[in-house]
Amino acid sequence: HKTVQNLLNIKTQIKTKISELKYNYTPEIIAVSKTFLINHIIPLIQNGHIHFGENKVQEALEKWSEIKNNNKNIKLHMVGKLQTNKVKFALKIFDYIHSLDNIKLAKKISDEQKKYTNKPKIFIQINIGNEDQKSGVSIKNILDFYTECKKLNLNVIGIMCLPPINKDPNIFFPEMKKISIDLNLKEISMGMSQDYMEAIKHSSTFLRIGSKIFGQRI
């Protein structure tokens, strides 16, 4: 199946790059399946792929509830913006949340996760390009924000960013690497279809790849 072939090609390309860089790690690939129907996704599941990304809570519940019941090892990632009023539904289906970007949302997740045995794994979204229109915690506030999250008993495993689309990501990815070291967080969610090879150079551990696997959205 074409999606499987695309994924295998990406994995080979990444492996080659990592050995060239003499790095010793394997990033996880999140197949961002938003808007794609389940018949595009099944071949990847059958091939053993476990990390998938969605950006709408309702769509995720409709698409994945049954599949996740039948495949306990599948991990679902919320890669879109999460509204506070959707948190209680999001925690039913998502294992990872990549877009924690404000304290109100942090408090809501903290309250809601008490109902579950497993807490969601969370990335703090950083507004790495300092863009007015983008959500995310500013670099100067990140330490305070992370400290608050710890007080709220959130399972923060890393940081995430969406660099400015019209600028070279190599300006921003090293900054993310530095922040992850400063906060002593080992996971970094950065790199998408157009820039995941750049993200690897700066040790991104989760790559959010959609169109390179599934093709262009209709």
Side-chain angles (χ1 to χ4, degrees):
H1 197 279
K2 195 164 185 326
T3 53
V4 174
Q5 198 47 59
N6 289 345
L7 179 64
L8 295 174
N9 293 346
I10 291 166
K11 283 185 171 174
T12 307
Q13 190 192 20
I14 288 171
K15 217 175 195 160
T16 307
K17 187 73 191 167
I18 282 178
S19 67
E20 274 172 23
L21 293 164
K22 297 188 167 50
Y23 288 1
N24 182 24
Y25 88 112
T26 307
E28 295 289 356
I29 295 171
I30 301 166
V32 180
S33 48
K34 62 180 185 184
T35 74
F36 284 96
L37 299 173
I38 212 70
N39 58 344
H40 290 264
I41 298 163
I42 296 290
L44 293 173
I45 295 171
Q46 288 168 339
N47 194 57
H49 193 70
I50 62 169
H51 292 280
F52 292 88
E54 293 285 336
N55 71 335
K56 291 198 167 71
V57 178
Q58 195 53 45
E59 185 185 340
L61 282 165
E62 285 163 15
K63 247 159 78 173
W64 288 95
S65 293
E66 194 182 332
I67 294 176
K68 283 195 79 189
N69 281 337
N70 300 332
N71 301 270
K72 295 293 181 211
N73 57 342
I74 282 185
K75 301 293 178 210
L76 203 56
H77 298 251
M78 174 60 173
V79 295
K81 184 164 176 57
L82 181 56
Q83 310 289 350
T84 45
N85 63 346
K86 295 275 170 45
V87 168
K88 62 174 181 288
F89 306 108
L91 265 53
K92 287 180 180 155
I93 193 93
F94 286 106
D95 304 281
Y96 292 76
I97 293 167
H98 286 246
S99 46
L100 174 59
D101 59 0
N102 66 76
I103 204 72
K104 191 177 153 204
L105 182 59
K107 286 175 175 161
K108 187 74 183 159
I109 296 170
S110 173
D111 287 343
E112 200 58 38
Q113 72 181 8
K114 294 177 181 131
K115 300 173 191 170
Y116 295 87
T117 40
N118 292 338
K119 295 196 285 192
K121 296 184 168 81
I122 294 174
F123 293 85
I124 297 172
Q125 182 173 345
I126 295 179
N127 187 346
I128 198 72
N130 212 7
E131 298 170 276
D132 293 341
Q133 77 282 16
K134 271 208 191 133
S135 47
V137 179
S138 69
I139 297 171
K140 63 178 192 301
N141 295 335
I142 185 64
L143 182 58
D144 290 346
F145 186 81
Y146 178 47
T147 308
E148 283 302 307
C149 290
K150 285 209 280 202
K151 284 183 196 157
L152 289 166
N153 200 22
L154 295 179
N155 183 15
V156 176
I157 62 163
I159 53 174
M160 177 274 237
C161 75
L162 295 158
I165 38 179
N166 50 357
K167 291 186 179 158
D168 179 358
N170 288 302
I171 305 166
F172 304 100
F173 288 166
E175 186 71 40
M176 286 290 286
K177 177 73 184 149
K178 183 182 170 302
I179 295 165
S180 79
I181 293 166
D182 291 347
L183 298 178
N184 197 21
L185 289 168
K186 75 175 207 296
E187 309 298 349
I188 307 176
S189 165
M190 66 183 182
M192 293 160 74
S193 286
Q194 69 282 8
D195 58 12
Y196 64 91
M197 294 302 281
E198 306 301 327
I200 294 164
K201 293 181 197 163
H202 305 288
S203 313
S204 175
T205 58
F206 283 87
L207 310 168
R208 310 183 304 273
I209 303 178
S211 55
K212 268 276 166 66
I213 296 172
F214 294 103
Q216 289 305 321
R217 297 199 163 75
I218 295 123

